[in-house]
Amino acid sequence: MERSRTSLMVEGREVPLCLFRPAANRSTADGPLPGLLYFHGGGFTSGSVEEVEITAMALAESIPALVVAVGYALAPENPFPAAIEDAHAAAVWLAERAGPLGVAGHDAGGHVAVSLTLLARDRGGPEIAAQALFGPMLDPSLTRVGDGEGSVTDCARCYRAYLPEAALRLHPYAAPLESRRLGRLPPILIATAQNDVLRPEAESYAARLIDAGVPTEVTRFAGVSHAGLANHPPALAAAADFFRRRLTGAPSHPSSNR
């Protein structure tokens, strides 16, 4: 595994990028490796590229792909839409250096990934071929939560930091579950944890995408926490299989735990 670091400047902010490239797979027969942007969790207010090394390395090796972990701007110092502008700049950067582009994220990083697909669609690029979400935060109203593990109070605090103005909580990039325009989005895999308080909203989003005609796969995992979902081997195997099919056209891996 080759690891390197670089950064981008976006609206005066330095956005760190950590790159993971499988050493034995610098390119494919048809061109450069696919690219995958990965967005860490942390409820919009914490987290870093260093914290997702295990996940990024596993995906880079098993797809294989050039995986780029993005250190997007954090709230409350940098509220919405700073994180998705950072994400879009990283997507433009990676699209110039890799093959087909995918995006993935956990927790708030799943929200950033979703927002990026909406923004890229509306701006006419870069083209995103697939997306995978691990236990994403998607609903600032918190009206679709379940009774599993996790704190609704903590989620509300995170959303207040990220969306300090109440009106922002209805913006389609901030509240994808409320958006009336979910068509023309890339195929998606949503991985949820059985007892996660956020599971119902993630699965509600999947249902809305299906209604909008977006190719959608949902996989629910038992016996794993919200925090552990992004490093859960069966969830990583499912995501790798999904990206392998969507980014390289390879058939489903027979050992995929889905």
PDB file of all heavy atoms in Angstrom, residues 93-120:
ATOM      1  N   TRP A  93     -10.604  17.503  -8.259  1.00  0.00           N
ATOM      2  CA  TRP A  93      -9.175  17.153  -8.230  1.00  0.00           C
ATOM      3  C   TRP A  93      -8.964  15.680  -8.571  1.00  0.00           C
ATOM      4  O   TRP A  93      -8.123  15.334  -9.396  1.00  0.00           O
ATOM      5  CB  TRP A  93      -8.618  17.479  -6.845  1.00  0.00           C
ATOM      6  CG  TRP A  93      -7.164  17.224  -6.666  1.00  0.00           C
ATOM      7  CD1 TRP A  93      -6.135  18.089  -6.904  1.00  0.00           C
ATOM      8  CD2 TRP A  93      -6.557  16.007  -6.198  1.00  0.00           C
ATOM      9  NE1 TRP A  93      -4.923  17.489  -6.612  1.00  0.00           N
ATOM     10  CE2 TRP A  93      -5.159  16.208  -6.182  1.00  0.00           C
ATOM     11  CE3 TRP A  93      -7.059  14.773  -5.778  1.00  0.00           C
ATOM     12  CZ2 TRP A  93      -4.258  15.233  -5.763  1.00  0.00           C
ATOM     13  CZ3 TRP A  93      -6.167  13.784  -5.377  1.00  0.00           C
ATOM     14  CH2 TRP A  93      -4.793  14.025  -5.370  1.00  0.00           C
ATOM     15  N   LEU A  94      -9.739  14.794  -7.931  1.00  0.00           N
ATOM     16  CA  LEU A  94      -9.547  13.364  -8.147  1.00  0.00           C
ATOM     17  C   LEU A  94     -10.006  12.938  -9.535  1.00  0.00           C
ATOM     18  O   LEU A  94      -9.402  12.046 -10.139  1.00  0.00           O
ATOM     19  CB  LEU A  94     -10.285  12.568  -7.070  1.00  0.00           C
ATOM     20  CG  LEU A  94     -10.092  11.054  -7.105  1.00  0.00           C
ATOM     21  CD1 LEU A  94      -8.609  10.680  -7.021  1.00  0.00           C
ATOM     22  CD2 LEU A  94     -10.878  10.387  -5.978  1.00  0.00           C
ATOM     23  N   ALA A  95     -11.054  13.552 -10.053  1.00  0.00           N
ATOM     24  CA  ALA A  95     -11.555  13.191 -11.382  1.00  0.00           C
ATOM     25  C   ALA A  95     -10.510  13.411 -12.459  1.00  0.00           C
ATOM     26  O   ALA A  95     -10.533  12.750 -13.500  1.00  0.00           O
ATOM     27  CB  ALA A  95     -12.821  13.982 -11.694  1.00  0.00           C
ATOM     28  N   GLU A  96      -9.583  14.321 -12.213  1.00  0.00           N
ATOM     29  CA  GLU A  96      -8.519  14.596 -13.176  1.00  0.00           C
ATOM     30  C   GLU A  96      -7.370  13.605 -13.071  1.00  0.00           C
ATOM     31  O   GLU A  96      -6.472  13.601 -13.911  1.00  0.00           O
ATOM     32  CB  GLU A  96      -7.985  16.013 -12.954  1.00  0.00           C
ATOM     33  CG  GLU A  96      -9.014  17.108 -13.223  1.00  0.00           C
ATOM     34  CD  GLU A  96      -8.516  18.472 -12.831  1.00  0.00           C
ATOM     35  OE1 GLU A  96      -7.455  18.570 -12.156  1.00  0.00           O
ATOM     36  OE2 GLU A  96      -9.187  19.466 -13.176  1.00  0.00           O
ATOM     37  N   ARG A  97      -7.392  12.744 -12.061  1.00  0.00           N
ATOM     38  CA  ARG A  97      -6.254  11.871 -11.779  1.00  0.00           C
ATOM     39  C   ARG A  97      -6.602  10.391 -11.717  1.00  0.00           C
ATOM     40  O   ARG A  97      -5.718   9.556 -11.487  1.00  0.00           O
ATOM     41  CB  ARG A  97      -5.606  12.285 -10.447  1.00  0.00           C
ATOM     42  CG  ARG A  97      -4.960  13.653 -10.494  1.00  0.00           C
ATOM     43  CD  ARG A  97      -4.672  14.206  -9.111  1.00  0.00           C
ATOM     44  NE  ARG A  97      -3.880  15.440  -9.204  1.00  0.00           N
ATOM     45  CZ  ARG A  97      -4.392  16.627  -9.486  1.00  0.00           C
ATOM     46  NH1 ARG A  97      -5.689  16.748  -9.715  1.00  0.00           N
ATOM     47  NH2 ARG A  97      -3.606  17.690  -9.560  1.00  0.00           N
ATOM     48  N   ALA A  98      -7.868  10.050 -11.853  1.00  0.00           N
ATOM     49  CA  ALA A  98      -8.280   8.656 -11.688  1.00  0.00           C
ATOM     50  C   ALA A  98      -9.331   8.312 -12.723  1.00  0.00           C
ATOM     51  O   ALA A  98      -9.773   9.156 -13.506  1.00  0.00           O
ATOM     52  CB  ALA A  98      -8.824   8.432 -10.267  1.00  0.00           C
ATOM     53  N   GLY A  99      -9.729   7.060 -12.702  1.00  0.00           N
ATOM     54  CA  GLY A  99     -10.785   6.589 -13.591  1.00  0.00           C
ATOM     55  C   GLY A  99     -12.148   6.939 -13.031  1.00  0.00           C
ATOM     56  O   GLY A  99     -12.310   7.982 -12.383  1.00  0.00           O
ATOM     57  N   PRO A 100     -13.149   6.079 -13.230  1.00  0.00           N
ATOM     58  CA  PRO A 100     -14.496   6.374 -12.722  1.00  0.00           C
ATOM     59  C   PRO A 100     -14.460   6.719 -11.238  1.00  0.00           C
ATOM     60  O   PRO A 100     -13.686   6.152 -10.469  1.00  0.00           O
ATOM     61  CB  PRO A 100     -15.248   5.067 -12.980  1.00  0.00           C
ATOM     62  CG  PRO A 100     -14.521   4.422 -14.104  1.00  0.00           C
ATOM     63  CD  PRO A 100     -13.072   4.787 -13.917  1.00  0.00           C
ATOM     64  N   LEU A 101     -15.324   7.638 -10.841  1.00  0.00           N
ATOM     65  CA  LEU A 101     -15.264   8.218  -9.502  1.00  0.00           C
ATOM     66  C   LEU A 101     -16.420   7.725  -8.641  1.00  0.00           C
ATOM     67  O   LEU A 101     -17.581   7.748  -9.044  1.00  0.00           O
ATOM     68  CB  LEU A 101     -15.321   9.741  -9.614  1.00  0.00           C
ATOM     69  CG  LEU A 101     -15.218  10.556  -8.327  1.00  0.00           C
ATOM     70  CD1 LEU A 101     -13.878  10.330  -7.658  1.00  0.00           C
ATOM     71  CD2 LEU A 101     -15.412  12.041  -8.642  1.00  0.00           C
ATOM     72  N   GLY A 102     -16.075   7.297  -7.416  1.00  0.00           N
ATOM     73  CA  GLY A 102     -17.070   6.943  -6.424  1.00  0.00           C
ATOM     74  C   GLY A 102     -16.881   7.779  -5.177  1.00  0.00           C
ATOM     75  O   GLY A 102     -15.828   8.390  -4.970  1.00  0.00           O
ATOM     76  N   VAL A 103     -17.911   7.816  -4.332  1.00  0.00           N
ATOM     77  CA  VAL A 103     -17.826   8.540  -3.063  1.00  0.00           C
ATOM     78  C   VAL A 103     -18.416   7.663  -1.976  1.00  0.00           C
ATOM     79  O   VAL A 103     -19.320   6.856  -2.215  1.00  0.00           O
ATOM     80  CB  VAL A 103     -18.560   9.894  -3.118  1.00  0.00           C
ATOM     81  CG1 VAL A 103     -17.949  10.793  -4.177  1.00  0.00           C
ATOM     82  CG2 VAL A 103     -20.054   9.719  -3.366  1.00  0.00           C
ATOM     83  N   ALA A 104     -17.895   7.829  -0.756  1.00  0.00           N
ATOM     84  CA  ALA A 104     -18.383   7.048   0.375  1.00  0.00           C
ATOM     85  C   ALA A 104     -18.177   7.849   1.649  1.00  0.00           C
ATOM     86  O   ALA A 104     -17.330   8.747   1.705  1.00  0.00           O
ATOM     87  CB  ALA A 104     -17.653   5.704   0.467  1.00  0.00           C
ATOM     88  N   GLY A 105     -18.953   7.515   2.675  1.00  0.00           N
ATOM     89  CA  GLY A 105     -18.784   8.208   3.936  1.00  0.00           C
ATOM     90  C   GLY A 105     -19.565   7.544   5.046  1.00  0.00           C
ATOM     91  O   GLY A 105     -20.528   6.808   4.815  1.00  0.00           O
ATOM     92  N   HIS A 106     -19.133   7.826   6.266  1.00  0.00           N
ATOM     93  CA  HIS A 106     -19.760   7.286   7.476  1.00  0.00           C
ATOM     94  C   HIS A 106     -20.303   8.433   8.308  1.00  0.00           C
ATOM     95  O   HIS A 106     -19.677   9.483   8.414  1.00  0.00           O
ATOM     96  CB  HIS A 106     -18.714   6.505   8.285  1.00  0.00           C
ATOM     97  CG  HIS A 106     -19.168   6.089   9.644  1.00  0.00           C
ATOM     98  ND1 HIS A 106     -18.527   6.481  10.794  1.00  0.00           N
ATOM     99  CD2 HIS A 106     -20.218   5.315  10.036  1.00  0.00           C
ATOM    100  CE1 HIS A 106     -19.149   5.970  11.841  1.00  0.00           C
ATOM    101  NE2 HIS A 106     -20.173   5.252  11.405  1.00  0.00           N
ATOM    102  N   ASP A 107     -21.519   8.228   8.900  1.00  0.00           N
ATOM    103  CA  ASP A 107     -22.057   9.219   9.831  1.00  0.00           C
ATOM    104  C   ASP A 107     -22.234  10.556   9.083  1.00  0.00           C
ATOM    105  O   ASP A 107     -22.854  10.594   8.023  1.00  0.00           O
ATOM    106  CB  ASP A 107     -21.115   9.311  11.034  1.00  0.00           C
ATOM    107  CG  ASP A 107     -21.578  10.207  12.153  1.00  0.00           C
ATOM    108  OD1 ASP A 107     -22.489   9.817  12.894  1.00  0.00           O
ATOM    109  OD2 ASP A 107     -21.015  11.307  12.293  1.00  0.00           O
ATOM    110  N   ALA A 108     -21.675  11.646   9.606  1.00  0.00           N
ATOM    111  CA  ALA A 108     -21.762  12.931   8.907  1.00  0.00           C
ATOM    112  C   ALA A 108     -21.057  12.871   7.557  1.00  0.00           C
ATOM    113  O   ALA A 108     -21.438  13.584   6.623  1.00  0.00           O
ATOM    114  CB  ALA A 108     -21.170  14.043   9.760  1.00  0.00           C
ATOM    115  N   GLY A 109     -20.039  12.015   7.439  1.00  0.00           N
ATOM    116  CA  GLY A 109     -19.382  11.848   6.152  1.00  0.00           C
ATOM    117  C   GLY A 109     -20.304  11.282   5.100  1.00  0.00           C
ATOM    118  O   GLY A 109     -20.162  11.569   3.906  1.00  0.00           O
ATOM    119  N   GLY A 110     -21.290  10.474   5.529  1.00  0.00           N
ATOM    120  CA  GLY A 110     -22.301  10.006   4.595  1.00  0.00           C
ATOM    121  C   GLY A 110     -23.172  11.145   4.107  1.00  0.00           C
ATOM    122  O   GLY A 110     -23.551  11.194   2.934  1.00  0.00           O
ATOM    123  N   HIS A 111     -23.473  12.071   4.993  1.00  0.00           N
ATOM    124  CA  HIS A 111     -24.231  13.268   4.615  1.00  0.00           C
ATOM    125  C   HIS A 111     -23.444  14.094   3.606  1.00  0.00           C
ATOM    126  O   HIS A 111     -23.996  14.564   2.599  1.00  0.00           O
ATOM    127  CB  HIS A 111     -24.515  14.093   5.871  1.00  0.00           C
ATOM    128  CG  HIS A 111     -25.466  15.230   5.683  1.00  0.00           C
ATOM    129  ND1 HIS A 111     -25.159  16.341   4.917  1.00  0.00           N
ATOM    130  CD2 HIS A 111     -26.712  15.443   6.163  1.00  0.00           C
ATOM    131  CE1 HIS A 111     -26.177  17.181   4.944  1.00  0.00           C
ATOM    132  NE2 HIS A 111     -27.138  16.665   5.692  1.00  0.00           N
ATOM    133  N   VAL A 112     -22.141  14.261   3.851  1.00  0.00           N
ATOM    134  CA  VAL A 112     -21.299  15.018   2.922  1.00  0.00           C
ATOM    135  C   VAL A 112     -21.262  14.333   1.553  1.00  0.00           C
ATOM    136  O   VAL A 112     -21.343  14.991   0.510  1.00  0.00           O
ATOM    137  CB  VAL A 112     -19.878  15.198   3.489  1.00  0.00           C
ATOM    138  CG1 VAL A 112     -18.953  15.850   2.467  1.00  0.00           C
ATOM    139  CG2 VAL A 112     -19.916  16.036   4.772  1.00  0.00           C
ATOM    140  N   ALA A 113     -21.163  13.006   1.562  1.00  0.00           N
ATOM    141  CA  ALA A 113     -21.145  12.272   0.292  1.00  0.00           C
ATOM    142  C   ALA A 113     -22.442  12.471  -0.477  1.00  0.00           C
ATOM    143  O   ALA A 113     -22.437  12.710  -1.694  1.00  0.00           O
ATOM    144  CB  ALA A 113     -20.903  10.781   0.555  1.00  0.00           C
ATOM    145  N   VAL A 114     -23.582  12.381   0.215  1.00  0.00           N
ATOM    146  CA  VAL A 114     -24.876  12.594  -0.437  1.00  0.00           C
ATOM    147  C   VAL A 114     -24.978  14.010  -0.995  1.00  0.00           C
ATOM    148  O   VAL A 114     -25.383  14.220  -2.142  1.00  0.00           O
ATOM    149  CB  VAL A 114     -26.022  12.336   0.560  1.00  0.00           C
ATOM    150  CG1 VAL A 114     -27.347  12.846   0.005  1.00  0.00           C
ATOM    151  CG2 VAL A 114     -26.128  10.856   0.871  1.00  0.00           C
ATOM    152  N   SER A 115     -24.601  14.986  -0.179  1.00  0.00           N
ATOM    153  CA  SER A 115     -24.659  16.386  -0.623  1.00  0.00           C
ATOM    154  C   SER A 115     -23.784  16.603  -1.851  1.00  0.00           C
ATOM    155  O   SER A 115     -24.152  17.358  -2.762  1.00  0.00           O
ATOM    156  CB  SER A 115     -24.217  17.313   0.511  1.00  0.00           C
ATOM    157  OG  SER A 115     -25.061  17.179   1.637  1.00  0.00           O
ATOM    158  N   LEU A 116     -22.633  15.954  -1.871  1.00  0.00           N
ATOM    159  CA  LEU A 116     -21.739  16.084  -3.018  1.00  0.00           C
ATOM    160  C   LEU A 116     -22.390  15.552  -4.287  1.00  0.00           C
ATOM    161  O   LEU A 116     -22.274  16.171  -5.355  1.00  0.00           O
ATOM    162  CB  LEU A 116     -20.428  15.346  -2.744  1.00  0.00           C
ATOM    163  CG  LEU A 116     -19.468  15.213  -3.932  1.00  0.00           C
ATOM    164  CD1 LEU A 116     -19.082  16.582  -4.490  1.00  0.00           C
ATOM    165  CD2 LEU A 116     -18.228  14.429  -3.516  1.00  0.00           C
ATOM    166  N   THR A 117     -23.085  14.422  -4.209  1.00  0.00           N
ATOM    167  CA  THR A 117     -23.719  13.900  -5.418  1.00  0.00           C
ATOM    168  C   THR A 117     -24.792  14.855  -5.933  1.00  0.00           C
ATOM    169  O   THR A 117     -24.950  15.024  -7.145  1.00  0.00           O
ATOM    170  CB  THR A 117     -24.338  12.511  -5.170  1.00  0.00           C
ATOM    171  OG1 THR A 117     -25.386  12.595  -4.197  1.00  0.00           O
ATOM    172  CG2 THR A 117     -23.293  11.521  -4.706  1.00  0.00           C
ATOM    173  N   LEU A 118     -25.516  15.495  -5.027  1.00  0.00           N
ATOM    174  CA  LEU A 118     -26.522  16.476  -5.435  1.00  0.00           C
ATOM    175  C   LEU A 118     -25.869  17.699  -6.071  1.00  0.00           C
ATOM    176  O   LEU A 118     -26.309  18.196  -7.113  1.00  0.00           O
ATOM    177  CB  LEU A 118     -27.357  16.890  -4.223  1.00  0.00           C
ATOM    178  CG  LEU A 118     -28.224  15.803  -3.588  1.00  0.00           C
ATOM    179  CD1 LEU A 118     -28.696  16.240  -2.209  1.00  0.00           C
ATOM    180  CD2 LEU A 118     -29.413  15.467  -4.474  1.00  0.00           C
ATOM    181  N   LEU A 119     -24.805  18.182  -5.440  1.00  0.00           N
ATOM    182  CA  LEU A 119     -24.118  19.362  -5.945  1.00  0.00           C
ATOM    183  C   LEU A 119     -23.467  19.090  -7.296  1.00  0.00           C
ATOM    184  O   LEU A 119     -23.556  19.908  -8.227  1.00  0.00           O
ATOM    185  CB  LEU A 119     -23.058  19.814  -4.924  1.00  0.00           C
ATOM    186  CG  LEU A 119     -22.314  21.106  -5.215  1.00  0.00           C
ATOM    187  CD1 LEU A 119     -23.257  22.302  -5.165  1.00  0.00           C
ATOM    188  CD2 LEU A 119     -21.187  21.301  -4.191  1.00  0.00           C
ATOM    189  N   ALA A 120     -22.807  17.937  -7.423  1.00  0.00           N
ATOM    190  CA  ALA A 120     -22.161  17.600  -8.691  1.00  0.00           C
ATOM    191  C   ALA A 120     -23.189  17.456  -9.813  1.00  0.00           C
ATOM    192  O   ALA A 120     -22.946  17.883 -10.950  1.00  0.00           O
ATOM    193  CB  ALA A 120     -21.351  16.314  -8.533  1.00  0.00           C
TER     194      ALA A 120
END
